[in-house]
Amino acid sequence: AGWEPVNVREFERHAQLMLSKNAFDYYASGANDMVTLRENRAAFNRLRLRPRILRDVSMVDTSTSVLGQKISSPICIAPTAMQRMAHDSGECATAGAAAKAGALMTLSSWSTTSLEDVAKAGGPGGARWFQLYVYKDRKITEQLVKRALAAGYTALAVTVDTPVLGRREADMRNRFKLPEHLTMGNFVSAGGAHASGTKDGGNDSGLAAYVASLIDRTLDWNDIKWLRTICGSMKIVVKGVMTAEDAAESVRQGVDGIWVSNHGARQLDTTPATIEVLPEVVAAVSGRCEIYLDGGICRGTDVFKALALGAKAVFIGRPVLWGLAHSGEEGVSKVLKLLHDELVMALQLTGCTRVSSASRSMVTHQTSYYSKL
Amino acid sequence: AGWEPVNVREFERHAQLMLSKNAFDYYASGANDMVTLRENRAAFNRLRLRPRILRDVSMVDTSTSVLGQKISSPICIAPTAMQRMAHDSGECATAGAAAKAGALMTLSSWSTTSLEDVAKAGGPGGARWFQLYVYKDRKITEQLVKRALAAGYTALAVTVDTPVLGRREADMRNRFKLPEHLTMGNFVSAGGAHASGTKDGGNDSGLAAYVASLIDRTLDWNDIKWLRTICGSMKIVVKGVMTAEDAAESVRQGVDGIWVSNHGARQLDTTPATIEVLPEVVAAVSGRCEIYLDGGICRGTDVFKALALGAKAVFIGRPVLWGLAHSGEEGVSKVLKLLHDELVMALQLTGCTRVSSASRSMVTHQTSYYSKL
Amino acid sequence: AGWEPVNVREFERHAQLMLSKNAFDYYASGANDMVTLRENRAAFNRLRLRPRILRDVSMVDTSTSVLGQKISSPICIAPTAMQRMAHDSGECATAGAAAKAGALMTLSSWSTTSLEDVAKAGGPGGARWFQLYVYKDRKITEQLVKRALAAGYTALAVTVDTPVLGRREADMRNRFKLPEHLTMGNFVSAGGAHASGTKDGGNDSGLAAYVASLIDRTLDWNDIKWLRTICGSMKIVVKGVMTAEDAAESVRQGVDGIWVSNHGARQLDTTPATIEVLPEVVAAVSGRCEIYLDGGICRGTDVFKALALGAKAVFIGRPVLWGLAHSGEEGVSKVLKLLHDELVMALQLTGCTRVSSASRSMVTHQTSYYSKL
Amino acid sequence: AGWEPVNVREFERHAQLMLSKNAFDYYASGANDMVTLRENRAAFNRLRLRPRILRDVSMVDTSTSVLGQKISSPICIAPTAMQRMAHDSGECATAGAAAKAGALMTLSSWSTTSLEDVAKAGGPGGARWFQLYVYKDRKITEQLVKRALAAGYTALAVTVDTPVLGRREADMRNRFKLPEHLTMGNFVSAGGAHASGTKDGGNDSGLAAYVASLIDRTLDWNDIKWLRTICGSMKIVVKGVMTAEDAAESVRQGVDGIWVSNHGARQLDTTPATIEVLPEVVAAVSGRCEIYLDGGICRGTDVFKALALGAKAVFIGRPVLWGLAHSGEEGVSKVLKLLHDELVMALQLTGCTRVSSASRSMVTHQTSYYSKL
Ligand SMILES: Cc1cc2nc3c(=O)[nH]c(=O)nc-3n(C[C@H](O)[C@H](O)[C@H](O)COP(=O)(O)O)c2cc1C
Ligand SMILES: Cc1cc2nc3c(=O)[nH]c(=O)nc-3n(C[C@H](O)[C@H](O)[C@H](O)COP(=O)(O)O)c2cc1C
Ligand SMILES: Cc1cc2nc3c(=O)[nH]c(=O)nc-3n(C[C@H](O)[C@H](O)[C@H](O)COP(=O)(O)O)c2cc1C
Ligand SMILES: Cc1cc2nc3c(=O)[nH]c(=O)nc-3n(C[C@H](O)[C@H](O)[C@H](O)COP(=O)(O)O)c2cc1C
């Protein structure tokens, strides 16, 4: 109680004390040697800020918009599965905190609460997207999309980096499974493996087995077209773009947004840090659609750097889980406020009053200074 | 007693043993993850000296001038707040040691001794500048400037990197405040919050709260013009320039000196090391005004490198505090002598007899050698 | 028993617990300061994967061919001496596991089992190459080659990086020797030093003494010509190429394959990592013969990177030894399966369905991103 | 007794156990933060060897010549002061071991044995140079030069990097002095401070005080001319060149050899590693005189790299002291043999049979590979 975390990393350390090993390891770990997990964060720390001086920063406005929807801050919530392992209130708590902060929340397909309940918890004003995993069973997939539309989710974030689940060795050692009292909240009616989720993992990570048996590995651009036919008014965002080539292709295919992500370093190890690929994606897209980024963000200056390099908004995954583990909705609110305060300070100390003022010339790689010396 | 520090880092380690956690953390720490705090020093160690041989170095002269004023050494004293936490004699001890060494001292607005008393302690011969924070209350600001002029300070170093106080997490954890028996020495007559300073910080760093309530976040170039109208014969130096763009603007605005500083890495984390931005500032200024540098200097070779890359003088912040903590005025004298001796040796071992001989070709980045191999 | 390694590095740690210091050190160590040993692995981790999205990866085929022979996976087995120190079943176990996996095995000249017995263990379907050390005694060398041909080995991998044995200091300290109950299985009939192998090493590594007295230091391209005259239908591969110059010369000399190797960092310390020299070798060869690579491979992503940069197949040395130490043939099978599974996943997560789809543009050096920032 | 070091670093660790702190620290330490001390060695490890294959390396010849004098190996002995602190037999033991190995020894001005006795110990066949410090008292300097000539030293290595003694903080803390029973062997007849050497150091390093009072800080190129007038048949080598500019000047001044050295990182900290500046020196000299290098050499591959980059020979300082500390003359012989064996192996494993075969193309910087990836 007495100890109040002062930054996101401290929230993480706190969570490690509070959660079971099964849950914490699932949340915290990355694929294989976790090279990319470290890089996602380290890459931000290799970037340098070029602060401008003597500008009136008494009024700072962090509001912006995504896909035409106004949000109070460019810090959005990424989809993370099974939030009820972190706190009994799970995804509803996240939705509540997001709504109070005026922040956009993306709900995972693998929510431990139904998407309808989460929508209710977020309330009418809450900005929400739905993250979609495409199932082999296209009926189930279609139902999911239709329910998301009906519940007021305004965009589908289609995750394209998970034909198979990445090799997360801690989960393999733990033989990770969803605790008995929890279910895959969106699949209760589907029953069977779909509902019980990861409970029968055998020798491996239970989630890896779940993905192998249920998720569609044939996913390609035709499926994106199909989704467009069934998603109604929902916008389509591809989540998991990591190259200029795929960014260009996404634009050609007419997606509404490109989400630069390496899935929190949980899928393919030794991919670059997301912040490192942002410039090539921005160049390839050349303003033709919005670009978002997640991966390793845990400081206001990280947010600033992503914006300055061309992201319209950023998403945070694990920090929300640490907030949940700390104190449910209140904890998520604390984490959102912490990062918001840090972003405001980053803006003030670089001489900016709006997020759109964060410009390309304010960020440079540390090595750019070496050649001048 | 028996242990005599042989370098600045040992003075720091000694101070850590002597001071309260509240005081030491306030002095030592930097913003957020302290990336820049480490970089300020590490960047010096990435620079390589190219020593010249067979030059008569029997007579070495370290004297130079700043803004037309002769000083015995290019090593000057940066403003650091609340020096009486380090030693009861505080700013007066610093002024005494500076005067004896013929060194320039810059006094902080947030001195725990009045600027008049410090001037007295420095004596008539003491070279002194006054560091100015601009208060929301412009009357108080104007009084401060006029008093500095009257007390013989010859320049105003206007700090432009602190519209809000940087996030120093140790201070947040400590709920840092100025000890009860001390006051903001320049604001005793202003009374109230101005005088008591950081005493009512609440949950956060007391100083952050102080800055938020009293310091002017609207500061811009018009305020520099205004200061010129009230500062009389005092020269104006902008403290906190970190880009070529702002250096060029400073020259256009007619400042007398540019002080490259990231505030000892205490404001915006992940700014570059100051020594790294010096070359771009020097190029932008192109000789049109003097340039100074502070941040991370703790070796004579660091001083040499800054001079060789184009700084007219350097300023040291924390080393003076460690000297104070060691033994008041005597300790500051020791630190000044230590760095002076190291600078003399750096000059001799590079084949220089005057500080002006430290030239661009004598410093290069370590990576410049890689491409030749 | 309860502890099942989840990656190659854990197999290594397990082996360290199981083996004598004499054996483990011989297997694990590299030359001198082991700079290259660390680099062989670190260099893979400095490479970044550029994954492509939205490609149907439901069917993945890892099969390929080397020198016209079809193999089920590009992961082949490098020759490592004295496998019976790891497990009593030694080289036969390796051959058995290789045959079951449809993998190519290369047998060392310094096998602790005769090449005929190993061939028998591999069975008729087993793909196998023979690694040749050229002895001062050319009769013995010739016999060895003829026996390999007779036993169905389809290529000679002539090791060209070992005129003398590298300085492996752990072996010097241990005064490494082959345990009394083992012999150099291919030289039993030659008798004397040839058979007893390393047993009389004196003050130094026994194997270093063995090489100094028996292996031919005059080996040059004329000897490769000579080998061609006696090797019958066997193809000739030079094992130990580390420069573009020698790759080009190899092609001129008409070799069938070039094996990029620094002998597992056991010969000359501070050579580059093998993956680092691959590009210059590929450029020099320009498609005129097949190129293989070994050194430091312990992840499926490592395999992927080598293929993407132009290797036709890769070889693993130590991982097989760790598998043997774990549980003989079963352990080798586990290691092969582990790496195969990881390769399949690397293919799926980069959007590839065949090993030939791993392309140059999917791999880049981490520093390539720095210059874009 | 039982423990036999297998490399130079182990000899160092052994010496640390055997010697007094006063002596070991004096031998081992470098100036200030010892950045350059680490760099001298680390820079060798950043260089990569490009080994060539299939060359007959049965006969390796390490002999070469310096200044026209034939020596059995390019590994020479650098001057290090006060060798009798390491072993009672001191400089005579070094001379004995050098003579037996056919190696060139350079004797320090600050020998704890007279130069005549050392010459006698080396015997008529011993190749020897004398390292000269120029004293304020030019009579004493002249005497020293004449005695060296008379005793058969064939070159003067004039140390040009020591107008003052570098700041070695361990020596400051230890208040380093020469033990009572030893004297500056070349100055016994001069008496007083000259003979007693460092015994009255006061608060500082005794040797720093000695240098400050006796060594000539006015040394310049005119003094080199003067030395030429008194040195008879002895050649003149400048020891301590670290830039292309000074190398070019040295050639213009007609010196016989240029010794690239940063004094074992004991003078000016943050100078580059010597191996890093070799290329620019080689380019500036362009074959007009011989170039030597010392600093950080402790592997045969280090020697190879220096030769390949253009050094005619290398010198080792500390390794000889560690040999002495181990077992006097025998220990020095062991160290010389160890490095000789390692050099022979480096030649064999790169495909060279003579030191002149070590060529520029066989060495490259590790980062040169990055840009190809
Ligand atoms: C525990 C956990 C669960 C996740 N579950 C999902 C998921 O269900 N769907 C999805 O698209 N991404 C999922 N992600 C990836 C996140 O959406 C996001 O890309 C990533 O967490 C961002 O990196 P960060 O955690 O460093 O902020 C998950 C990430 C974590 C850490
Ligand atoms: C404890 C402390 C207090 C400081 N107070 C002030 C201040 O009141 N005004 C100001 O302009 N800068 C202040 N600074 C910044 C210094 O003037 C200077 O920029 C910085 O300390 C230089 O870095 P160094 O400490 O590494 O030498 C302070 C720095 C420290 C460490
Ligand atoms: C214990 C051991 C023994 C080896 N024996 C031989 C050998 O007899 N002949 C040979 O050509 N290479 C030999 N090698 C080198 C391997 O063939 C291969 O080049 C190397 O092990 C690949 O690196 P890795 O161990 O990191 O996979 C040996 C390597 C090891 C580790
Ligand atoms: C203990 C010690 C004493 C030295 N004494 C002298 C000396 O008297 N004169 C001199 O020119 N150089 C002296 N040097 C420098 C050496 O000649 C040489 O430049 C240096 O030791 C080479 O680096 P290494 O020790 O890494 O091989 C000394 C070095 C050491 C370590």
Side-chain angles (χ1 to χ4, degrees), chain C residues 153-329:
Chain C
Y153 293 82
T154 56
L156 279 186
V158 188
T159 299
V160 294
D161 58 14
T162 314
V164 295
L165 197 79
R167 193 175 183 89
R168 302 159 196 177
E169 298 183 348
D171 290 350
M172 295 169 73
R173 283 188 212 99
N174 293 339
R175 289 160 201 204
F176 169 70
K177 47 185 181 208
L178 191 57
E180 285 299 328
H181 69 286
L182 299 178
T183 48
M184 294 299 230
N186 293 322
F187 302 95
V188 176
S189 67
H194 278 103
S196 59
T198 65
K199 273 161 198 155
D200 39 17
N203 255 357
D204 197 348
S205 155
L207 189 59
Y210 172 92
V211 170
S213 75
L214 300 179
I215 299 298
D216 190 354
R217 305 183 182 186
T218 71
L219 200 71
D220 66 15
W221 285 109
N222 290 323
D223 300 297
I224 303 296
K225 286 198 187 105
W226 169 69
L227 287 172
R228 189 172 301 290
T229 67
I230 61 168
C231 71
S233 63
M234 288 192 291
K235 302 279 172 85
I236 289 195
V237 172
V238 283
K239 175 171 184 282
V241 173
M242 285 293 286
T243 62
E245 293 90 324
D246 281 331
E249 182 62 22
S250 301
V251 171
R252 265 193 301 276
Q253 298 278 350
V255 305
D256 300 296
I258 289 175
W259 186 325
V260 173
S261 175
N262 52 29
H263 209 114
R266 296 160 76 80
Q267 287 294 103
L268 180 64
D269 199 21
T270 72
T271 52
T274 49
I275 193 68
E276 286 182 337
V277 303
L278 183 56
E280 76 176 56
V281 169
V282 167
V285 168
S286 188
R288 291 175 292 166
C289 74
E290 291 188 349
I291 298 166
Y292 320 111
L293 176 141
D294 73 22
I297 286 177
C298 64
R299 284 288 182 191
T301 46
D302 300 339
V303 179
F304 183 94
K305 287 167 185 177
L307 300 177
L309 293 175
K312 182 76 181 165
V314 302
F315 289 78
I316 53 171
R318 293 179 185 87
V320 169
L321 298 170
W322 312 144
L324 271 181
H326 184 272
S327 45
E329 182 181 315

Side-chain angles (χ1 to χ4, degrees), chain C residues 80-95 105 107-122 130 144 147 153 178 181-188 195 324:
Chain C
T80 54
M82 308 179 186
Q83 298 187 355
R84 294 190 55 202
M85 294 195 311
H87 192 275
D88 199 51
S89 59
E91 291 83 1
C92 290
T94 304
M105 169 184 182
L107 182 69
S108 168
S109 282
W110 299 340
S111 171
T112 37
T113 315
S114 77
L115 61 90
E116 289 82 5
D117 287 352
V118 177
K120 217 170 297 163
F130 184 72
L144 205 56
R147 285 167 57 195
Y153 293 82
L178 191 57
H181 69 286
L182 299 178
T183 48
M184 294 299 230
N186 293 322
F187 302 95
V188 176
L324 271 181

Side-chain angles (χ1 to χ4, degrees), chain D residues 62-331:
Chain D
T62 63
S63 70
T64 186
S65 70
V66 282
L67 299 178
Q69 190 166 16
K70 173 120 182 150
I71 49 178
S72 66
S73 145
I75 306 173
C76 309
I77 297 179
T80 53
M82 308 177 186
Q83 299 188 353
R84 292 190 57 201
M85 294 195 310
H87 192 274
D88 199 51
S89 59
E91 291 83 359
C92 289
T94 304
K100 279 180 192 147
L104 170 67
M105 168 183 183
T106 311
L107 182 70
S108 166
S109 282
W110 298 340
S111 171
T112 38
T113 316
S114 77
L115 64 90
E116 289 83 4
D117 287 352
V118 177
K120 218 171 295 162
R128 52 184 167 271
W129 290 1
F130 185 73
Q131 175 270 330
L132 184 71
Y133 280 125
V134 177
Y135 283 75
K136 289 179 182 168
D137 185 330
R138 293 302 170 97
K139 280 261 120 30
I140 281 186
T141 309
E142 192 169 339
Q143 270 179 349
L144 206 56
V145 172
K146 300 237 152 113
R147 283 168 59 196
L149 179 63
Y153 293 83
T154 57
L156 280 186
V158 187
T159 299
V160 295
D161 58 16
T162 314
V164 294
L165 198 78
R167 193 173 183 90
R168 302 161 196 176
E169 298 183 347
D171 291 350
M172 294 169 73
R173 283 187 212 99
N174 293 339
R175 291 167 197 197
F176 169 69
K177 49 185 179 207
L178 191 56
E180 286 299 327
H181 68 287
L182 298 177
T183 49
M184 294 299 232
N186 293 321
F187 303 94
V188 177
S189 68
H194 278 101
S196 58
T198 65
K199 274 161 197 153
D200 38 18
N203 255 357
D204 197 346
S205 155
L207 190 58
Y210 171 93
V211 170
S213 75
L214 301 179
I215 299 298
D216 190 354
R217 303 182 184 189
T218 72
L219 200 71
D220 67 15
W221 285 109
N222 290 322
D223 299 296
I224 303 296
K225 286 199 186 105
W226 169 68
L227 286 173
R228 190 173 300 291
T229 66
I230 62 166
C231 71
S233 62
M234 289 191 291
K235 302 280 172 81
I236 288 193
V237 172
V238 282
K239 176 172 183 282
V241 173
M242 285 294 286
T243 62
E245 293 89 323
D246 281 331
E249 181 63 20
S250 300
V251 171
R252 265 194 299 277
Q253 298 277 352
V255 305
D256 301 295
I258 289 175
W259 187 325
V260 173
S261 175
N262 52 29
H263 209 113
R266 297 160 76 81
Q267 288 294 106
L268 180 64
D269 200 20
T270 72
T271 52
T274 50
I275 193 69
E276 288 183 336
V277 303
L278 184 57
E280 75 175 59
V281 168
V282 167
V285 167
S286 187
R288 291 175 292 166
C289 73
E290 292 187 348
I291 298 167
Y292 320 110
L293 176 142
D294 71 23
I297 286 178
C298 64
R299 284 289 182 190
T301 46
D302 300 340
V303 179
F304 183 94
K305 287 167 185 175
L307 300 178
L309 292 175
K312 181 76 180 167
V314 302
F315 289 78
I316 52 171
R318 294 178 185 86
V320 169
L321 299 170
W322 312 143
L324 271 181
H326 183 271
S327 46
E329 182 180 316
E330 197 188 319

Side-chain angles (χ1 to χ4, degrees), chain A residues 7 10 50 53 299 338, chain B residues 33 167 169 173 245 280:
Chain A
N7 59 40
E10 283 192 13
R50 303 180 72 245
I53 55 169
R299 284 290 182 188
L338 178 68
Chain B
D33 298 311
R167 194 171 181 91
E169 299 182 348
R173 283 188 212 99
E245 293 89 325
E280 75 177 59

